[in-house]
Amino acid sequence: MGLMNISWLLQFLIFLYPALFVTYQMYLYRIANNTINSDHIEIKNYPFLSIIVPTKGEKISIIQGLIKNISELIWDKDKMEVIIVSDDTEEYFEEIKSKLIIPEGLKVYLYRREKKLGYKSGALLYGYERSKGELILTIDVDSRLQKDALVKAYSRMITNNCDAVALQWVGYSENTYSKLAKGIMASTFFASKALFEGKEKIHLTVFPVGSGTLFRRDALESVGGWDYKIIQDDLEIGTRLINKNKKICSSGVPIYIEVPDNFFSFYIQQTRWAMGTGEVIRNRLRYIITAKVGLLKKIDMIFHLLQYTPILFTFIGSVILVVLAPFINYDPLKTPLFLFWGIILGLYAYIIYEVAIKLGFRRRDAIFSLGRVSGFTVAISPFIFYYFLKGLLSNRKTYIITPKGGNKISKQYRTIIIIGLLGIIYTLAVIIYLLHHNYFTSLWLAYYSSGFLYTLLTFNKEL
């Protein structure tokens, strides 16, 4: 490959491809309605609802909090059951059963999976097979709903003839000091608004969410429920529902999702999602290609599954730049695309900042929180790259439950060592490019290396 071709490749990987992805998301966010208008029907005859809750290693107080939250929801409690599927040890499971307080009138069933087929998807399938509801709601144990959330979601399902309704994620954290958590809350709100309300407004297809999707039972029956062999339960079952021509709707109804408030839980969450997304592409891409929907919808759904590729492409580009540093005698990133990328990045940062202010964060907190998320995301990009490829190419996988708050994972400190070494390597490459007067490339690499060095210096503030 000639030097000019390498330069074009680098500009595509680092500037053009990520900028186009971000531009598309900003467009979706801007066209999203503030709220989705839905006729709230008066429910005279409630259908039977089964709420499936997978759990492992969660504090009993967290499970108790969810049960209390569910008991306060507007729904006919005679037509509701809560199915908690535990993957805990037998000893802890017995402790959960003995200490949980079940509100009067609420039917709660606790099961322990002795034969653990798969992970969360397997737990959902286990609960589904033991449920009897005409409607199925999947929810994580640390998620919370407003009192009228079920009624609004069901109204949306009826008035729009939906087979599944995805609730809108709104992040929360008990850790009011975590800048990381605040930054994730803002980016979660932005993504949820864009990928659900924005897409629905221009008649594109939305996917279910892992916590907070209301399904019709007959829709789940049409695909046989969840596939326990696949990690990413929402994307996996979404592709098969879409292939069966089932309609998945956005709701505009918030569900409050606890976000990571420390570096290691953020690392675990993102690498697991990256691996799960790669696995879905490998196993379920054909369901999108063969779905009876228009070409534009297919392209959009494939883009949705490629959501981690801008991070991967940028990392690949940075590695090529480091390898070429001692040998190249021109500035490979000297291009108008640098300015285009910078403008898009600035606009994206401003929109997320606006979201943070809208969520009630102080200006200083908003700026520092977004900087922390950005820096940490750059720092874990090599690991996202590795796990995405692992999901895409290998059947062998491991699944780590995300400790959303308060857990220190000492074994993960090797991750920090790798991040620190990469920060040093990138900094050396910056110096080499500067010595050769390749100022555009050195400037971009300085920006990129700062994420690694920043994480090395600040990760212990987010533990």
Side-chain angles (χ1 to χ4, degrees), residues 79-222:
K79 293 191 175 180
M80 175 190 285
E81 64 178 0
V82 181
I83 297 175
I84 298 175
V85 182
S86 168
D87 280 346
D88 295 296
T89 63
E90 186 173 357
E91 181 182 11
Y92 190 58
F93 178 67
E94 292 300 324
E95 184 180 351
I96 292 172
K97 287 203 305 182
S98 66
K99 291 185 177 180
L100 277 183
I101 301 172
I102 308 302
E104 185 177 353
L106 184 65
K107 293 185 285 291
V108 179
Y109 303 100
L110 286 89
Y111 297 96
R112 177 177 174 268
R113 291 199 304 159
E114 294 185 359
K115 186 178 182 181
K116 297 177 178 60
L117 295 175
Y119 301 95
K120 181 183 176 183
S121 296
L124 292 173
L125 179 63
Y126 185 95
Y128 165 68
E129 290 172 342
R130 285 153 182 78
S131 68
K132 59 182 181 180
E134 300 167 57
L135 301 176
I136 307 290
L137 174 70
T138 59
I139 187 170
D140 288 347
V141 71
D142 50 18
S143 299
R144 299 294 182 263
L145 294 166
Q146 293 179 344
K147 288 187 176 182
D148 59 355
L150 294 179
V151 173
K152 286 183 176 180
Y154 181 58
S155 297
R156 177 73 174 163
M157 177 177 279
I158 297 300
T159 57
N160 290 272
N161 195 28
C162 309
D163 295 291
V165 174
L167 277 64
Q168 181 174 306
W169 279 17
V170 178
Y172 81 90
S173 176
E174 301 293 341
N175 186 346
T176 58
Y177 298 99
S178 173
K179 292 183 174 61
L180 174 64
K182 292 176 181 177
I184 297 174
M185 287 181 212
S187 58
T188 297
F189 186 91
F190 167 85
S192 185
K193 201 84 170 171
L195 298 179
F196 293 92
E197 293 187 33
K199 286 191 177 186
E200 189 157 279
K201 187 168 184 180
I202 55 176
H203 308 293
L204 294 175
T205 302
V206 300
F207 280 87
V209 291
S211 177
T213 300
L214 184 68
F215 298 92
R216 291 185 187 271
R217 187 179 198 89
D218 56 5
L220 292 174
E221 287 175 346
S222 72

Side-chain angles (χ1 to χ4, degrees), residues 62-80:
I62 301 296
I63 305 173
Q64 185 69 65
L66 178 64
I67 291 174
K68 181 178 184 296
N69 177 242
I70 291 173
S71 71
E72 295 171 348
L73 299 177
I74 300 172
W75 200 266
D76 183 351
K77 297 304 187 297
D78 289 332
K79 293 191 175 180
M80 175 190 285

Side-chain angles (χ1 to χ4, degrees), residues 232-258:
Q232 204 74 5
D233 55 281
D234 48 358
L235 296 180
E236 182 280 315
I237 201 165
T239 57
R240 291 189 290 125
L241 287 170
I242 292 162
N243 184 265
K244 290 288 187 180
N245 205 29
K246 301 301 180 182
K247 185 178 180 182
I248 305 168
C249 300
S250 179
S251 67
V253 179
I255 179 170
Y256 298 91
I257 305 293
E258 187 174 16

Side-chain angles (χ1 to χ4, degrees), residues 176-177 179 182 353 355-370:
T176 58
Y177 298 99
K179 292 183 174 61
K182 292 176 181 177
Y353 170 80
V355 171
I357 297 300
K358 184 177 180 179
L359 293 176
F361 301 150
R362 294 180 301 175
R363 296 182 185 277
R364 185 175 183 276
D365 272 356
I367 293 170
F368 279 93
S369 298
L370 300 180

Side-chain angles (χ1 to χ4, degrees), residues 185-455:
M185 287 181 212
S187 58
T188 297
F189 186 91
F190 167 85
S192 185
K193 201 84 170 171
L195 298 179
F196 293 92
E197 293 187 33
K199 286 191 177 186
E200 189 157 279
K201 187 168 184 180
I202 55 176
H203 308 293
L204 294 175
T205 302
V206 300
F207 280 87
V209 291
S211 177
T213 300
L214 184 68
F215 298 92
R216 291 185 187 271
R217 187 179 198 89
D218 56 5
L220 292 174
E221 287 175 346
S222 72
V223 296
W226 287 266
D227 184 346
Y228 70 85
K229 298 184 293 295
I230 306 294
I231 286 178
Q232 204 74 5
D233 55 281
D234 48 358
L235 296 180
E236 182 280 315
I237 201 165
T239 57
R240 291 189 290 125
L241 287 170
I242 292 162
N243 184 265
K244 290 288 187 180
N245 205 29
K246 301 301 180 182
K247 185 178 180 182
I248 305 168
C249 300
S250 179
S251 67
V253 179
I255 179 170
Y256 298 91
I257 305 293
E258 187 174 16
V259 300
D261 67 357
N262 65 83
F263 171 77
F264 291 127
S265 62
F266 177 65
Y267 163 87
I268 290 170
Q269 181 199 69
Q270 292 301 310
T271 52
R272 175 165 57 84
W273 284 357
M275 180 170 62
T277 303
E279 185 185 27
V280 169
I281 293 173
R282 176 164 58 90
N283 291 281
R284 296 289 182 257
L285 184 60
R286 67 183 186 276
Y287 287 88
I288 292 177
I289 294 172
T290 59
K292 295 178 181 179
V293 298
L295 179 61
L296 184 61
K297 288 186 176 182
K298 290 182 181 181
I299 292 172
D300 174 72
M301 287 187 284
I302 292 171
F303 269 32
H304 188 85
L305 296 182
L306 295 175
Q307 58 191 282
Y308 279 101
T309 53
I311 297 174
L312 309 185
F313 282 16
T314 302
F315 172 68
I316 293 170
S318 72
V319 171
I320 294 174
L321 284 174
V322 169
V323 172
L324 292 178
F327 311 106
I328 203 163
N329 58 5
Y330 72 102
D331 198 335
L333 298 187
K334 187 177 181 180
T335 168
L337 287 175
F338 196 129
L339 179 61
F340 171 66
W341 170 83
I343 292 172
I344 296 301
L345 193 67
L347 288 173
Y348 175 72
Y350 180 74
I351 290 175
I352 300 295
Y353 170 80
E354 278 188 328
V355 171
I357 297 300
K358 184 177 180 179
L359 293 176
F361 301 150
R362 294 180 301 175
R363 296 182 185 277
R364 185 175 183 276
D365 272 356
I367 293 170
F368 279 93
S369 298
L370 300 180
R372 189 146 297 179
V373 172
S374 177
F376 284 7
T377 301
V378 168
I380 66 173
S381 58
F383 308 98
I384 289 176
F385 172 79
Y386 169 77
Y387 280 101
F388 181 84
L389 288 185
K390 188 175 182 180
L392 189 65
L393 303 175
S394 173
N395 282 320
R396 298 183 62 186
K397 53 187 179 287
T398 55
Y399 180 107
I400 306 175
I401 304 298
T402 309
K404 300 267 183 8
N407 291 320
K408 294 184 179 182
I409 311 173
S410 59
K411 291 182 180 179
Q412 294 293 340
Y413 274 84
R414 66 180 179 273
T415 303
I416 295 300
I417 295 173
I418 295 172
I419 288 171
L421 290 174
L422 287 172
I424 293 170
I425 292 169
Y426 282 119
T427 302
L428 291 174
V430 170
I431 295 170
I432 293 172
Y433 279 106
L434 271 175
L435 292 174
H436 287 87
H437 307 291
N438 297 327
Y439 299 117
F440 286 87
T441 300
S442 62
L443 177 62
W444 184 85
L445 275 174
Y447 152 79
Y448 195 69
S449 64
S450 67
F452 292 86
L453 299 176
Y454 175 80
T455 301

